[in-house]
Amino acid sequence: MSLHGKRKEIYKYEAPWTVYAMNWSVRPDKRFRLALGSFVEEYNNKVQIVGLEEESSEFVCRNTFDHPYPTTKIMWIPDTKGVYPDLLATSGDYLRIWRVSDTETRLECLLNNNKNSDFCAPLTSFDWNEVDPNLLGTSSIDTTCTIWGLETGQVLGRVNLVSGHVKTQLIAHDKEVYDIAFSRAGGGRDMFASVGADGSVRMFDLRHLEHSTIIYEDPQHHPLLRLCWNKQDPNYLATMAMDGMEVVILDVRVPCTPVARLNNHRACVNGIAWAPHSSCHICTAADDHQALIWDIQQMPRAIEDPILAYTAEGEINNVQWASTQPDWIAICYNNCLEILRV
């Protein structure tokens, strides 16, 4: 049996610091490329761009750059065809758009949602619209969500200048907003939802911002930290509460009543990722060191057990399912990134 025929199931990368934010690149020419953000409790933090060398089967760091404060989220431009510049966005004190080249990463623009002052309310999260990559939405502790328009068009001396402006800003919740995500419903451009410290999931339509729909409220009014839309069926989304050990699956057609509860974790859940290629698979990751994959086809019958479980060597901070390589999931714990074949 040749050793070359046996492809590894797990690849690991050790960063020089605790890894918190991470995201897979979706460009077809950049397989196995991820961006990682440090979690250091001080001003000076870092972002690394790492890639798997498929010959040596080792992760290498291609690029490191400085970032003020830890990144609350990192996301590559959702550009599967490679028609836009190779951009990366990060949130923290501001929304920053970076241009990535093979040798360096350059800050293209810094977007501050407070037009009146240099003061900024920290951004908890953001989402980049897949249908229209000129749209991004940010969520903030100042109760607002801001929708940004990005311009990547003007070419000056063979360089596309990237700039951004506020398209709209709305008070989304009564308290801090912790996450925002665009929905694929209705064309995938105008609908988005947010969650926050008031314990509600709210749905918005950019064409009718004068009202929102409350899809769910946590019975104990616990803050909701994350929300994640099903990639194949826009009727379903998942959310989780602060310090909660379960993930709640919601159906927007049946507001306020969860269609499923995934509650096998033994410590608080930190991450949720839907499968990019299947409407009935979802991965959850938690402080109990476990990443669990669930098949929710039986809904609304109770989902008792996950179909796959992976135990990491530490509390899992984040999980990301690769949209262009759906047989790979990335997790991070302590200072480690691992990618797992599923």
Side-chain angles (χ1 to χ4, degrees), residues 19-31:
V19 182
Y20 175 67
M22 66 153 173
N23 187 239
W24 291 89
S25 171
V26 300
R27 281 177 83 99
D29 56 333
K30 304 284 187 194
R31 280 165 51 87

Side-chain angles (χ1 to χ4, degrees), residues 189-329:
R189 190 182 175 280
D190 297 293
M191 316 279 278
F192 66 94
S194 60
V195 293
D198 59 10
S200 68
V201 181
R202 301 188 184 208
M203 183 117 177
F204 300 88
D205 185 330
L206 286 175
R207 296 158 299 193
H208 309 286
L209 283 176
E210 59 281 357
H211 57 85
S212 64
T213 309
I214 295 181
I215 296 173
Y216 174 71
E217 290 186 282
D218 183 84
Q220 280 80 43
H221 300 289
H222 290 152
L224 298 177
L225 294 186
R226 292 274 170 274
L227 94 145
C228 205
W229 288 100
N230 187 308
K231 300 286 186 227
Q232 295 294 326
D233 186 339
N235 290 311
Y236 294 109
L237 71 155
T239 187
M240 66 197 213
M242 187 182 284
D243 302 326
M245 292 192 231
E246 68 173 12
V247 169
V248 174
I249 310 283
L250 306 170
D251 182 338
V252 295
R253 297 163 298 188
V254 191
C256 305
T257 312
V259 277
R261 295 178 183 277
L262 311 178
N263 49 17
N264 282 44
H265 283 290
R266 296 291 164 258
C268 70
V269 178
N270 296 321
I272 312 168
W274 288 94
H277 58 309
S278 151
S279 63
C280 55
H281 292 94
I282 187 170
C283 182
T284 59
D287 274 353
D288 60 6
H289 301 199
Q290 294 231 296
L292 306 178
I293 294 182
W294 308 78
D295 182 343
I296 58 165
Q297 238 170 334
Q298 304 305 316
M299 293 190 310
R301 288 225 311 269
I303 315 292
E304 299 293 344
D305 290 302
I307 54 169
L308 276 173
Y310 175 75
T311 305
E313 291 162 31
E315 300 178 349
I316 303 176
N317 296 327
N318 201 331
V319 56
Q320 299 274 314
W321 204 318
S323 59
T324 51
Q325 291 149 259
D327 40 355
W328 290 95
I329 285 178

Side-chain angles (χ1 to χ4, degrees), residues 328-341:
W328 290 95
I329 285 178
I331 59 168
C332 57
Y333 58 90
N334 302 336
N335 68 324
C336 297
L337 160 77
E338 283 185 349
I339 65 167
L340 321 168
R341 188 201 299 273

